[in-house]
């Protein structure tokens, strides 16, 4: 048996309005001629298998276009900002990659340089020990012992450089070990060592000592390593005489390594 139900049109209209839950100034015009509700924004829609229909109206259709244009403008702005952010991210990534490549190249150059420098004192130590074993050191083996000590000290400084490099890679700071150093003996030793290296390279050497206190509190090993790096640069990339200087000014020591390159 078929059953049916009847609805009073106004009740059905109210139900449709409540179900649609329109907002933003939209209204449903069931009569089709309620111009006071606003301008029709789409053709009249008829419900399936029913004579009931409605027209969608809005009081200010122009504001809809403006609101849509504002939304599109905001969307374009957001997309443009996103594109700029992506471009900036790409540039930053490229710079980081270039920096990483540069650091990797510097690391490789450092390792290669240290590996080469390590061979020099090692070769000298081996040669000196062979001379001692064979008796070729002569009647004064003390000079050979001094040379051995010198090359062993140089080897230790190179190893310390490698250890400091490893510490810096791990984000640690280098160690500073201060002590009271007698400047006269320290500078004489530096001048003798640097002079021998410079003259062995076929260059002239000059040492200039200003007014100095008898002693100073410093890390002699770190100062020596810093000056040796400057000396190496002067010998590799400079020209003319190499000048080592030291003077005191305002309670500080000033070391200089200069050349004509």
């Amino acid at each position: 048996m078929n059953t049916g139900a009847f609805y009073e049109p106004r009740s059905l209209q109210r139900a449709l309005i409540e179900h649609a839950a329109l907002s933003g100034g939209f209204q449903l015009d069931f009569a089709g001629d309620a111009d006071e509700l606003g301008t029709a924004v789409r053709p009249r829609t008829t419900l399936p298998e029913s004579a009931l229909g409605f027209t969608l109206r809005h009081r200010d259709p122009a504001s809809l276009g403006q609101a849509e244009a504002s939304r599109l403008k905001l969307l374009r702005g957001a997309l443009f900002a996103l594109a700029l952010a992506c471009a900036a991210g790409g540039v930053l990534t490229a710079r980081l990659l270039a920096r990483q490549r540069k650091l990797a190249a510097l690391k490789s150059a450092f390792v290669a340089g240290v590996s080469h420098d390590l061979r020099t004192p090692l070769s000298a130590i081996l040669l000196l020990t062979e001379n001692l074993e064979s008796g070729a050191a002569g009647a004064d083996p003390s000079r050979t012992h001094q040379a051995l000590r010198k090359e062993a000290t140089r080897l230790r400084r190179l190893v310390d450089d490698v250890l400091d490099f490893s510490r810096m890679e791990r984000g640690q700071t280098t160690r500073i070990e201060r002590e009271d150093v007698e400047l006269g003996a320290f500078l004489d030793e530096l001048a003798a060592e640097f002079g021998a290296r410079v003259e062995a390279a076929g260059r002239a050497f000059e040492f200039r000592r200003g007014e100095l206190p008898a002693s100073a509190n410093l890390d002699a090993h770190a100062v020596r390593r810093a000056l040796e790096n400057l000396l190496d640069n002067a010998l590799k990339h400079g020209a003319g005489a190499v000048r080592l200087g030291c003077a005191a000014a305002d309670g500080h020591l000033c070391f200089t390594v200069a050349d004509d390159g």
Side-chain angles (χ1 to χ4, degrees), residues 108-130:
S108 299
F110 173 80
V111 173
V114 169
S115 300
H116 178 269
D117 291 341
L118 284 172
R119 293 191 183 97
T120 302
L122 282 175
S123 300
I125 290 172
L126 290 173
L127 178 61
L128 291 170
T129 53
E130 289 175 1

Side-chain angles (χ1 to χ4, degrees), residues 31-115:
D33 56 358
D35 293 336
E36 68 277 6
L37 296 179
T39 304
V41 295
R42 63 179 298 172
R44 183 175 177 80
T45 301
T46 303
L47 298 179
E49 299 180 0
S50 171
L52 185 63
F54 62 87
T55 301
L56 185 63
R57 294 181 178 273
H58 195 277
R59 293 189 179 279
D60 188 10
S63 65
L64 294 176
Q66 294 174 357
E68 186 65 22
S70 298
R71 284 194 293 271
L72 289 175
K73 186 177 180 180
L74 288 174
L75 180 60
R76 291 193 188 99
L79 291 175
F80 182 71
L82 180 61
L84 286 179
C86 291
V91 172
L92 181 60
T93 301
R95 288 182 177 178
L96 288 175
L97 290 175
R99 184 173 180 272
Q100 290 296 326
R101 287 194 293 268
K102 184 177 180 180
L103 288 176
L106 289 174
K107 185 189 299 184
S108 299
F110 173 80
V111 173
V114 169
S115 300

Side-chain angles (χ1 to χ4, degrees), residues 189-214:
E189 184 180 350
L190 275 181
E193 181 179 339
F194 282 25
R197 290 182 59 186
V198 172
E199 291 171 0
R203 307 262 292 275
F205 177 75
E206 299 176 10
F207 175 54
R208 300 174 182 176
R209 180 187 305 186
E211 293 294 332
L212 295 171

Side-chain angles (χ1 to χ4, degrees), residues 175-224:
R175 295 176 299 177
I176 301 297
E177 299 178 356
R178 291 178 174 270
E179 60 181 349
D180 289 330
V181 177
E182 185 182 348
L183 288 179
F186 177 65
L187 291 175
D188 288 341
E189 184 180 350
L190 275 181
E193 181 179 339
F194 282 25
R197 290 182 59 186
V198 172
E199 291 171 0
R203 307 262 292 275
F205 177 75
E206 299 176 10
F207 175 54
R208 300 174 182 176
R209 180 187 305 186
E211 293 294 332
L212 295 171
S215 64
N217 186 263
L218 50 82
D219 187 335
H221 183 48
V223 171
R224 180 190 292 271

